[in-house]
Amino acid sequence: MKFNQLVTYTLVAITLFLSGNLSAADFMGTQSCVECHQQQYKDWQGSHHDMSMRHAEPKSILANFNNQQFDHLGEISRFFMKEKQYWVNIKGPDGQFKDYRISYTFGFEPLQQYMVEFENGAVQLIPFAWDSRTKDEGGQRWFYLYPDMDPFDEFYWTNKGQNWNYMCADCHSTNVQKNYDANSNSFNTSFSEINVACEACHGPASKHIEWSKDQTKSTPLLGFERDLAPKVGAWEFVKGQKILQPKQVKTSAQLETCGQCHSRRSQLTDSKAKAHDHIDNFSNKYMLSDVSPNLYYPDGQIYDEVFVLGSFKQSKMHMAGVVCSDCHNPHSNKLKAPVEVICYQCHVPSEYSADKHSKHAEGTEASKCVTCHMPKTTYMEVDPRADHSFKVPRPDLSLKIGTPNVCSQCHDDKTTTWAAQTVAKQFPNSVIRKTPSYAVAFSNAAAGAPSSSDALSEIALNPQQPEIIRASALSRMTNFPSQQTYTAIERSVKHVDAQIRLSAIIGSGGFAFPNRWPLLSPLLTDSVFSVRTEAASALVSDWSNMDESQQMLMTVALNEYIEIQQYNTDRGFAWLNIANVYLAKKQFDKAEEAYKRAIKVEPILATSYANLADLYRQTGKEAQSIAILKQGIENQPKAGLLRYSAGLAYYRQQDLTQAIEYFTQATVVEPTNPQNWSVLGLAQEKVNPADMMKSLSKAFEVSNDPQHLYSLCQFKIKYRDPTTNACLQQLSERVSPQVMKQLTGQ
């Protein structure tokens, strides 16, 4: 891999500066900024941005490589020096231990990670990290970040989930170009600077330097592409208000600039040939994850690692115009002042004293604003991160839907009921507690409650809700197609916020093509790259239902969608997406080739085998379908999907013995998947009805879904099982009398 070095960029910058030959948007390097911005440079040195990535050398390595050993379940990994280089002896995907040279460091506190470079230019993070905290804090030790991972897991250290080029580079270095070559399966990734330097946030500085040579010229934004100033120019006290109100509000690219890295999002491109990388519109380069169940609790509290932006966009502070630099020094990354002083910038101190607000003793940890409103969750074993949604603690919601609350986390000797009653007593007039929460609607939607259609629609159309919450309501509508959700989506596809339009696309998934086309077709020419490409992605599955004019309207956005996949062809999912486009167009040979490329690039991705097997089934190649599923089971033995699909293939051939065998394997691999138990039961009916009812009972047990209980009762009636009445009684407590009447015929 040929990396551009800082010294090279510094020399280029100096040469161009002296010659006056500055082209637009050139990256000049940090050293070109130092002379005029000495304080900012001083603040930046040693910061998390400065230390985000470094070459492996004595001044950057924090860990002990002095022949250290780490014993995990009797397997010994070793960290050592060889010819002034840093090395690790660690088990590879073949199960054999091998020496790997450490090429780069990653971060520095509270932990530091290390990376090795493979021959094809792939840079991978090893699974061990150095705890850089002090010994008193439990640090100064090696620890295993992913002890439960094996070679079949996406996040095993040599697999794609730990690949720097795709997963990490864009945020840890400046001006990254991934440069993946699909033909050779190799990377030639480059960057202007190895760490997060000035131009990572401000953009290329060449025109700014040109302006600095002649400040009499009228140059927008002093030569930069983006305005990073705070959004609110001043905050003012308004009589009767406890919180200062925004004044002199203007547009700012600061939140989107910080958010390009401090967010859970997917990257669409790093192309310089187009304007996609202009951070003025985040959604031209990225797609921000909404408040989805796999990342957040139903009330928006952080669950998985979401890196701030998605949390912050839920907050009232975001809606008021607060941005990152209102609290943080953007160059040192530290708070601008002690935490309570930060809060009192806007919150009138007399109104938020311990006596009036926190109800905890003044000066204690419990009385601090952040203790209750920014609870921390520890990730990567030792890294506690604060929730930036600034939620009001809601133990009453914990009682209703099981979400965590900071009161019970602190008072762990008390019940949640006690916490809810105490909060209600201390804040009897709380408007927040009396206002219906979207958390209940999101929780009910996850459980499949029929009432979700109305509740989600109401949230999506409520302008008082944060836009990310409205978007999250829209994306959940895909399972609840109705007139209400259709109306909500119809209005939302015209909304000014790109994420709301994106989520409306997802939410439309439950509607048939004739209804979906008029909703989404206007978005095919949307001004935002991610919106029009996502619209094309959503509609292409109905290609055969389109007339020629509709297909022509699809073409430009669909080609752009393919560009996104081509950018990401180092990942199996991109080849899957390409294959699905070909499949929709009935170009079966091209679809088959793309599925095979997905398998080659990422052999552990189970969906590739399942989709290719389904393609073979559609084209009458049953033997090849089963063969590719067996290949998938060998390469990804942890996927129940492949065993499930193999069972279906044998079931279609009336080979019940093999079908039951593979369905049984699926329940062993994924015992909490109710569909595995349900289909096993249906296959067992002709062989052993008693086994069938045991499997259907298990399907209901793991899902608590009345539909599975309905099926079980149906078969108990059919086979005159002695426990039929007990089953019917249990079902009657979960479904309407009309459903019971339909089942029993009474």
Side-chain angles (χ1 to χ4, degrees), residues 29 54 84 100 141 199 384 425 444 485 489 528 678 693:
R54 293 282 186 155
K84 297 183 179 181
Y100 296 91
R141 64 186 177 95
E199 291 165 299
K425 183 179 179 180
N444 289 341
T485 54
I489 293 168
V528 176
S678 180
M693 284 185 272

Side-chain angles (χ1 to χ4, degrees), residues 379-452:
Y379 302 101
M380 303 183 79
E381 304 290 339
V382 298
D383 191 5
R385 301 180 193 171
D387 193 324
H388 279 65
S389 61
F390 300 97
K391 294 276 187 289
V392 172
R394 294 289 304 272
D396 58 312
L397 280 181
S398 301
L399 289 173
K400 289 181 181 178
I401 58 176
T403 48
N405 73 87
V406 70
C407 303
S408 297
Q409 291 170 358
C410 188
H411 298 276
D412 56 5
D413 59 331
K414 301 290 200 318
T415 66
T416 304
T417 300
W418 170 87
Q421 292 172 345
T422 301
V423 171
K425 183 179 179 180
Q426 291 180 339
F427 301 94
N429 301 315
S430 170
V431 175
I432 292 176
R433 198 174 64 255
K434 293 177 181 179
T435 303
S437 171
Y438 60 80
V440 176
F442 286 1
S443 178
N444 289 341
S451 60
S452 298

Side-chain angles (χ1 to χ4, degrees), residues 17 35-37 207-223:
F17 182 84
E35 182 178 353
C36 297
H37 303 282
K207 294 180 75 174
H208 175 68
I209 293 175
E210 187 178 46
W211 166 84
S212 71
K213 293 164 60 178
D214 184 3
Q215 298 183 23
T216 62
K217 291 183 178 180
S218 176
T219 305
L221 300 177
L222 308 183

